[in-house]
Amino acid sequence: MADPEVTILCIEDEVQIRRFLRASLATQGYRLIEAATGRQGIAEAAARTPDIIILDLGLPDVDGLDITQELRALTRRPIIVLSARGQERDKVDALDAGADDYLTKPFSVAELLARIRVALRHADRSLAGAESESITIGELTIDHARHRVTVGDSEIRLTPTEFKLLFELARHAGRVLTPQHLLREVWGPAYLDRSHYLRIYMARIRGKIEKDPARPRYLLTEPGVGYRLADT
């Protein structure tokens, strides 16, 4: 069962889906806030500070991607997008807009609950990492303050750019980050068309932190979407 203090904001215009989510989430102990439009959702997010947001992209008043960007500017809490749009481009656009995860309709309750648990775990780790500047996942530890990476008892030597890239992924462990996000955060806005940089640097980092770079444990590729660092 979930922590009874965990509050989920659902921004969804379809009554049937809200009713379905209301029943499914309540049985797990989550508190649900409902909004039928994008603007109502923004107002609820500002007033109620939910722990996680479930957002439909097909809203009647404002495009869901615009709402995603507004929500991300308002809060750092996880955003899970629900959408009937299932193309890779739609997923990339939502993730670039600030979503943490993307679930295509129709979806199962079990999968949604699993995504919620992962998102909450990621949020807790991000807050802890922001406070300690040290993130540990399995045997991998990234210490931002000391600019130090270890796997088990072995210290791994990374270049400044490799470290910055790995730490950006670690700050969002479990979340798929698009190439555009990583290029912007690590190299800067002028490098958004240099996707080959990522292939080169990901291969280098895998060669240093993975026991078997061909079958990575930590640094994973989501084909057509982006990269993520495993969160467990």
Side-chain angles (χ1 to χ4, degrees):
M1 295 292 286
D3 185 329
E5 296 304 313
V6 172
T7 300
I8 298 176
L9 169 60
C10 174
I11 307 174
E12 167 65 66
D13 66 315
E14 294 187 44
V15 176
Q16 297 92 332
I17 292 182
R18 291 207 310 274
R19 186 181 300 124
F20 168 72
L21 291 175
R22 187 187 310 144
S24 302
L25 296 175
T27 61
Q28 299 299 312
Y30 294 113
R31 296 172 55 198
L32 187 65
I33 304 167
E34 299 178 36
T37 67
R39 287 293 163 223
Q40 183 184 356
I42 292 292
E44 293 285 4
R48 310 284 286 276
T49 59
D51 296 290
I52 191 167
I53 299 166
I54 296 174
L55 171 67
D56 176 31
L57 290 185
L59 297 169
D61 57 338
V62 185
D63 184 81
L65 293 177
D66 292 335
I67 293 297
T68 304
Q69 292 176 326
E70 290 190 45
L71 287 168
R72 182 50 68 224
L74 184 66
T75 178
R76 294 179 61 188
R77 302 306 297 182
I79 301 170
I80 298 177
V81 162
L82 299 181
S83 179
R85 311 172 195 172
Q87 299 299 312
E88 284 184 354
R89 184 71 255 170
D90 298 315
K91 296 179 181 179
V92 170
D93 287 345
L95 293 167
D96 267 343
D100 294 86
D101 202 350
Y102 192 106
L103 197 56
T104 303
K105 298 178 181 177
F107 55 88
S108 70
V109 175
E111 183 175 11
L112 175 61
L113 292 173
R115 300 290 184 97
I116 289 172
R117 290 192 296 272
V118 168
L120 290 171
R121 203 160 57 234
H122 162 239
D124 290 341
R125 180 177 287 117
S126 293
L127 290 174
E131 293 173 358
S132 67
E133 292 192 316
S134 180
I135 299 170
T136 297
I137 301 165
E139 294 188 329
L140 174 67
T141 298
I142 304 107
D143 188 330
H144 187 264
R146 298 180 181 179
H147 210 273
R148 186 169 182 260
V149 174
T150 56
V151 177
D153 296 326
S154 301
E155 183 169 354
I156 308 299
R157 296 188 179 277
L158 299 182
T159 67
T161 301
E162 289 169 349
F163 183 88
K164 189 175 182 180
L165 178 56
L166 182 61
F167 189 74
E168 181 63 19
L169 286 158
R171 288 200 311 118
H172 302 283
R175 172 183 170 185
V176 180
L177 300 182
T178 65
Q180 290 78 13
H181 173 103
L182 291 168
L183 290 166
R184 182 175 58 249
E185 294 300 320
V186 177
W187 283 274
Y191 292 82
L192 295 183
D193 61 345
R194 310 289 178 86
S195 58
H196 61 285
Y197 280 22
L198 289 174
R199 291 191 293 273
I200 294 169
Y201 276 84
M202 291 296 179
R204 288 180 183 173
I205 297 171
R206 282 194 181 111
K208 294 180 178 183
I209 70 171
E210 300 284 2
K211 290 182 179 178
D212 182 358
R215 302 177 65 184
R217 152 76 173 85
Y218 297 106
L219 191 49
L220 309 175
T221 300
E222 298 292 341
V225 182
Y227 301 90
R228 68 181 173 91
L229 197 70
D231 68 336
T232 57

